[in-house]
């Protein structure tokens, strides 16, 4: 048996599926054979007469993102072990120290509790991957005002800039509370999580008692399953529990380097981030190089003027025609090389393309949709011209970290080679 969760399975289920697929192929099921051949290194040699159970098992491992059946078997047994520990009410894994678990959302809070963690949970929700970043004294106010103006306004949230400032201050106070002897940051590999991690490590590095506290990171960029891994919120309780053994300690040197990375994202031009890509210690932050690259892809493309998010959205619309924003976001996610946006964040980045006298995306008012997710949109002719780089849009003013993009002054590149990055002044 297995659950509905794509990342929760046991060995009995895997063995049963392997035998079932083998029988189907030997009965002449061409589709079942093709599904095995596409992941097998000797696909041309496989046929219903010579295929073996080991071939099916190897392919299943590849489908789940692992190199061998033995690795898949070990992973399934490990999940089953942790599931049994949860069912038996085993002692909390974090019982040895007063612990604060930090995450960029609420998505794993309930499952951490189910998994047997007893520490407190802090959802630190600020999408540093969009909007302005800076080292200015009023940085927190800038962030709060951006969130109110561009995000909360879209969902009718009445909170004021002051309310958001107060909430952020309260969370930073909790983070600084010396009663927590251990801080554990739960993150994945994308821009949302990584920028939150760098920002909070930079903050923690300034605390007077930081040397006396245990700082740990649980960082995941892959987890075996039969669908694409995007984030920790996809994982079952036993999956989260299994990650505890893979946490790593943050020392003073790591804190210093995280602060340097955060300063790079806050810098007013890309030079700081480009320099960081060349430092010898960057590999210590295993996911940050691809995050920097993806971050800079939100700068305008030199031929179309589009950010990568906008370009991918137009690509979906060019092939799918009219669709709701909800469906557009789903299909955009499938194309996104490093998914980091929630649906509301996606909508906010897309809205400039619907505005002005020559929009790139058209909005259908006849549907009567009241929610922005239910709005029906389609690509305009100008949108198609920009997507194919036959036309270039003049960008509205926006921020990519500390880098301000305006019609008069912006950085641009081909979104492939960073050597093409250059400054334009109109």
């Amino acid at each position: 048996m297995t659950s509905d969760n794509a990342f929760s399975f046991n060995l009995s289920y895997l063995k049963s599926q392997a035998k079932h697929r083998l029988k189907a192929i030997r009965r002449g099921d061409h589709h079942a054979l093709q599904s095995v051949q596409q992941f097998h290194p000797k696909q041309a040699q496989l046929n219903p007469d010579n295929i073996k159970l080991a071939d099916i098992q190897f392919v299943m491992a590849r489908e789940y993102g692992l190199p061998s059946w033995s690795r898949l078997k070990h992973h399934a047994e490990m999940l089953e072990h942790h599931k049994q520990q949860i069912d038996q009410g085993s002692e909390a894994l974090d019982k040895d120290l007063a612990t604060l678990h930090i995450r960029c959302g609420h998505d794993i809070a309930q499952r951490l509790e189910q998994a047997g963690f007893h520490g407190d949970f802090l959802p630190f929700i600020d999408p540093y991957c969009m909007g302005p970043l800076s080292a200015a004294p009023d940085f927190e106010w800038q962030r709060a005002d951006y969130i109110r103006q561009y995000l909360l306004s879209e969902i009718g949230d009445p909170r004021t800039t002051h309310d958001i400032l107060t909430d952020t201050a309260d969370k930073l106070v909790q983070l600084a509370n010396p009663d927590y002897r251990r801080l554990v940051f739960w993150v994945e590999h994308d821009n949302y999580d990584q920028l939150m991690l760098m920002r909070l490590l930079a903050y923690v590095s300034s605390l007077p008692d930081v040397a006396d506290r245990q700082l740990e990171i649980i960082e995941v960029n892959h987890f075996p399953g039969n669908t694409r891994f995007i984030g920790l919120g996809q994982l079952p309780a036993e999956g989260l529990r299994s990650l505890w053994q893979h946490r790593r300690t943050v020392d003073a040197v790591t804190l210093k380097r995280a602060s340097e990375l955060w300063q790079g994202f806050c810098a007013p031009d890309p030079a700081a981030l480009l320099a960081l890509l060349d430092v010898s210690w960057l590999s210590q932050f295993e996911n940050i190089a691809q995050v920097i690259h993806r971050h800079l892809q939100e700068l305008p493309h030199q031929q179309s003027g589009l950010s990568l998010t906008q370009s991918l959205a137009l690509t979906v619309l060019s092939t799918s025609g009219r669709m709701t924003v909800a469906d557009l976001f789903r299909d955009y996610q499938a194309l996104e090389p490093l998914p980091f946006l929630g649906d509301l964040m996606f909508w906010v980045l897309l809205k400039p393309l619907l505005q002005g006298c020559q929009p790139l995306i058209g909005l259908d008012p006849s549907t009567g949709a009241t929610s922005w997710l239910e709005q029906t949109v389609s690509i305009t002719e100008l949108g198609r011209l920009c997507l194919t780089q036959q036309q270039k849009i003049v960008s509205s003013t926006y921020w990519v970290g500390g880098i301000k993009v305006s019609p008069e002054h912006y950085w641009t590149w081909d979104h492939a080679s960073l050597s093409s990055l250059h400054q334009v002044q109109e």
Side-chain angles (χ1 to χ4, degrees):
M1 294 290 292
T2 186
S3 74
D4 292 334
N5 189 297
F7 299 90
S8 178
F9 47 87
N10 59 44
L11 189 56
S12 296
Y13 169 79
L14 295 173
K15 288 179 175 178
S16 174
Q17 285 294 301
K19 292 175 182 177
H20 175 78
R21 292 174 72 172
L22 180 61
K23 288 178 181 178
I25 291 171
R26 287 179 174 170
R27 286 197 308 266
D29 187 329
H30 183 64
H31 177 74
L33 177 61
Q34 280 187 323
S35 70
V36 171
Q37 287 175 326
Q38 66 175 327
F39 284 102
H40 202 285
K42 299 180 180 179
Q43 55 181 272
Q45 300 172 28
L46 291 182
N47 61 63
D49 296 323
N50 66 13
I51 195 166
K52 297 179 176 62
L53 182 62
D55 295 314
I56 307 293
Q57 292 172 334
F58 170 75
V59 164
M60 287 182 65
R62 296 284 292 272
E63 290 171 342
Y64 278 82
L66 291 170
S68 67
W69 172 257
S70 62
R71 288 280 298 276
L72 181 59
K73 178 184 174 186
H74 173 76
H75 181 78
E77 291 171 339
M78 178 268 297
L79 286 180
E80 187 61 26
H81 166 74
H82 284 288
K83 192 173 189 305
Q84 290 173 358
Q85 294 290 302
I86 293 170
D87 293 341
Q88 293 167 7
S90 298
E91 288 187 331
L93 293 175
D94 56 357
K95 66 182 178 61
D96 56 319
L97 287 173
T99 300
L100 181 64
H101 298 278
I102 303 106
R103 173 74 178 143
C104 62
H106 297 275
D107 55 350
I108 66 171
Q110 185 176 357
R111 286 181 181 167
L112 279 183
E113 188 175 346
Q114 292 170 356
F117 293 97
H118 289 177
D120 290 341
F121 185 82
L122 174 62
F124 200 97
I125 306 171
D126 188 329
Y128 296 117
C129 53
M130 60 188 294
L133 302 180
S134 78
D138 65 344
F139 166 67
E140 296 296 352
W141 183 91
Q142 291 178 30
R143 291 301 306 173
D145 198 55
Y146 175 83
I147 291 169
R148 177 198 60 78
Q149 183 177 351
Y150 289 95
L151 294 167
L152 298 190
S153 64
E154 291 291 335
I155 55 176
D157 191 316
R159 281 180 291 172
T160 65
T161 300
H162 177 74
D163 293 333
I164 301 165
L165 267 173
T166 301
D167 182 60
T168 300
D170 289 344
K171 289 178 176 177
L172 291 175
V173 167
Q174 186 177 4
L175 196 64
N177 188 338
D179 291 342
Y180 294 114
R181 306 315 302 156
R182 173 168 55 206
L183 304 179
V184 184
F185 298 88
W186 295 75
V187 298
E188 56 250 12
H189 53 303
D190 63 64
N191 295 47
Y192 195 129
D193 288 51
Q194 293 292 312
L195 267 73
M196 181 274 289
L197 178 63
M198 298 308 133
R199 188 268 182 273
L200 293 187
L201 289 180
Y203 171 76
V204 169
S205 70
S206 67
L207 298 178
D209 66 338
V210 63
D212 300 325
R213 303 171 81 179
Q214 192 163 316
L215 309 179
E216 297 172 347
I217 300 172
I218 294 175
E219 184 171 1
V220 187
N221 58 21
H222 171 75
F223 199 92
N226 58 17
T227 193
R228 183 186 187 187
F229 174 76
I230 294 177
L232 292 167
Q234 297 171 286
L235 302 187
E238 64 269 24
L240 293 174
R241 195 178 193 277
S242 73
L243 296 175
W244 188 248
Q245 63 189 314
H246 300 297
R247 67 195 191 280
R248 70 177 191 271
T249 301
V250 180
D251 58 18
V253 173
T254 303
L255 283 177
K256 179 178 181 296
R257 290 170 176 172
S259 298
E260 291 179 39
L261 285 164
W262 176 246
Q263 291 166 14
F265 283 107
C266 294
D269 67 64
L273 286 177
L274 295 179
L276 286 165
L277 285 172
D278 292 330
V279 297
S280 60
W281 51 260
L282 195 67
S283 59
Q284 179 185 350
F285 300 86
E286 60 177 320
N287 296 300
I288 204 68
Q290 65 175 350
V291 166
I292 291 173
H293 193 269
R294 181 63 189 87
H295 178 75
L296 293 174
Q297 286 175 321
E298 287 305 283
L299 294 171
H301 189 280
Q302 63 187 23
Q303 298 298 328
S304 67
L306 299 168
S307 71
L308 183 59
T309 296
Q310 294 171 338
S311 180
L312 293 176
L314 290 179
T315 298
V316 172
L317 289 174
S318 70
T319 56
S320 300
R322 296 172 70 253
M323 60 198 312
T324 65
V325 173
D327 289 340
L328 173 58
F329 176 68
R330 179 201 63 216
D331 292 355
Y332 150 80
Q333 285 278 79
L335 294 182
E336 171 60 65
L338 193 61
F340 67 99
L341 296 173
D343 52 11
L344 176 59
M345 298 158 64
F346 172 73
W347 171 244
V348 168
L349 295 180
L350 211 61
K351 276 191 73 177
L353 301 188
L354 286 85
Q355 298 166 344
C357 57
Q358 291 185 302
L360 276 62
I361 296 177
L363 189 66
D364 186 352
S366 66
T367 61
T370 55
S371 164
W372 53 269
L373 270 175
E374 298 169 353
Q375 298 279 2
T376 298
V377 292
S378 59
I379 190 170
T380 66
E381 183 57 31
L382 180 59
R384 292 187 186 279
L385 290 173
C386 287
L387 182 61
T388 55
Q389 299 177 11
Q390 299 177 63
Q391 189 86 19
K392 182 177 179 180
I393 63 163
V394 177
S395 174
S396 58
T397 298
Y398 68 100
W399 295 82
V400 179
I403 307 167
K404 185 177 181 180
V405 176
S406 70
E408 302 79 27
H409 178 206
Y410 57 92
W411 289 83
T412 185
W413 62 303
D414 65 6
H415 290 181
S417 173
L418 283 166
S419 62
S420 67
L421 188 60
H422 61 281
Q423 192 175 21
V424 174
Q425 291 190 355
E426 299 292 354

